[in-house]
Amino acid sequence: MKARAPDREAFTRATHALVAAATAFDVPALEAALQVALLMGPAVEVFEGVLAPALVAMGHQWATGISGVGEEHLATQAIFTAARELVRLVQPGPHSPRLLLACVDGETHEVPIYGVALHAARRGWSATLLGARTPPPALEAALHHMAPAAVGLSVTVSVQDVDPEALFARYGAACGRTPWIVGGASAERYREAIEAAGGRVGLAGEDLSEFLSRARPRAR
Ligand code: B12
């Protein structure tokens, strides 16, 4: 049976409802809008069609002075909680290959890796998320104990106060033979440093698909 195409207009209405509720500091309306959104379709579609656009809209409202930091933080927290819940709900079974996800050192934008976890789940991968600001030694320790099949790093803002080449070389060393990919709004800017360190850059969903299909451990 063919999957029903997502209703773009309904997604747009849901995004507006979320943004309006957060802008008015109306917590019950925000909760209600999220409940509606979460039931609107597959997790990835809800994330990409409602949650991410609502975050971006709130950021835009903040940047243009339409709303303040409080409204933006309220929306971010609520959306973050919803994204976490979605990720938890869609995890494939215990025998699925595992993708370890983290933000690079200094990076606080962690919502994007929840989106990546949802994309990975759709491709049959489980995800473990280390979250924001994960320096290379922390990643290395996690790899040592968890032995994931692959690693995904996210960089939204530019790498701060450190030479990107040196930083990605340390991530490369931390990953060792585990395949790793870097995505996010600033990833392209560091392509050279990432590839020199043995990593891949992934911008679109297809890049992630291709990376995961190569990284998938072969059945013994
Ligand atoms: C929410 C938000 C925040 C929240 C983050 C909350 C959280 N816990 O995540 C808070 C309030 C903390 C925040 C802080 C800051 N923010 Co901010 N923030 C945003 C906002 C509004 C939304 C970001 C977001 O979540 N987008 C939704 C996600 C899903 O979209 P995405 O990034 O495209 O992710 C997808 C892909 O990139 C890809 N992907 C991402 N990672 C990976 C990894 C892999 C492996 C793969 C394959 C793919 C992949 O898949 C994802 C899912 O589809 C943006 C505005 C915008 N236009 O994006 C600004 C924005 C990103 N922030 C910005 C800035 C400047 C900051 C601050 C520096 C502000 C300040 N002066 O303090 C700090 C950052 C401090 C730091 N060093 O990190 C700028 C960045 C500009 C730049 N390029 O440098 C933006 C663009 C706003 C702007 N227009 O100026 N922010």
Side-chain angles (χ1 to χ4, degrees), residues 41-118:
V44 173
E45 309 285 356
V46 170
F47 182 85
E48 297 289 356
V50 183
L51 304 185
L55 266 180
V56 172
M58 287 308 295
H60 179 73
Q61 287 200 171
W62 168 78
T64 53
I66 296 172
S67 52
V69 173
E71 295 89 322
E72 191 273 333
H73 277 21
L74 178 66
T76 297
Q77 285 306 317
I79 289 172
F80 191 29
T81 306
R84 281 181 111 120
E85 188 63 8
L86 281 179
V87 168
R88 199 179 61 79
L89 288 172
V90 301
Q91 286 305 294
H95 302 299
S96 52
R98 182 159 300 276
L99 175 67
L100 185 62
L101 287 168
C103 299
V104 300
D105 207 3
E107 180 62 67
T108 57
H109 294 90
E110 56 185 324
V111 175
I113 57 173
Y114 284 80
V116 180
L118 295 173

